[in-house]
Amino acid sequence: MRARVERFGEAALLLLVASGPTHGYELLERLPSLLGGERVDVGNVYRTLRGLEEEGLVVSEWRADLPGPAKRTYTLTDDGSALLAAWADSLAGLSESLGRFVQDGKKGGDRVS
């Protein structure tokens, strides 16, 4: 399984949900820090969460035991954990490649092999 960079928002959501059951508003507050401070589109986040649930990567339930009105709370599934691990592996490899690129770029590209 190879993660696609254009779907990085999904990986970021999986990572946030992996820290424990959380609701959409919490995700909206925490997501920008993982996406480089970018403003997130509320509708896209909830569409993505629905898609992750349809794919069996997260499950949700309505909880009324939290402060305020009832909230839909998301939890990572085993398949979601596996995909998150695949993302971590792919991004680790990409990080290594980007590190070499930056080093070579600073040296004028004369060491590129």
Side-chain angles (χ1 to χ4, degrees):
M1 181 178 305
R2 184 144 175 107
R4 296 182 358 214
V5 174
E6 63 268 15
R7 295 183 70 173
F8 183 67
E10 290 181 8
L13 285 169
L14 291 172
L15 180 61
L16 292 175
V17 173
S19 66
T22 187
H23 58 82
Y25 184 74
E26 289 174 330
L27 294 169
L28 289 168
E29 285 185 330
R30 296 170 55 206
L31 196 55
S33 65
L34 286 177
L35 300 177
E38 291 183 25
R39 186 171 175 265
V40 296
D41 180 287
V42 174
N44 283 341
V45 169
Y46 284 105
R47 276 189 292 282
T48 300
L49 286 168
R50 277 193 304 275
L52 293 173
E53 190 165 21
E54 288 171 5
E55 293 178 42
L57 303 171
V58 299
V59 293
S60 69
E61 65 177 334
W62 284 100
R63 293 194 43 198
D65 61 329
L66 302 172
K71 295 172 179 67
R72 184 179 292 271
T73 303
Y74 298 89
T75 305
L76 201 62
T77 65
D78 289 342
D79 286 347
S81 292
L83 182 58
L84 180 57
W87 266 103
D89 289 344
S90 291
L91 291 174
L94 179 60
S95 176
E96 196 174 297
S97 296
L98 290 173
R100 285 192 305 271
F101 180 91
V102 169
Q103 286 178 346
D104 290 345
K106 287 181 178 179
K107 295 177 181 170
D110 58 349
R111 293 187 43 216
V112 177
S113 53

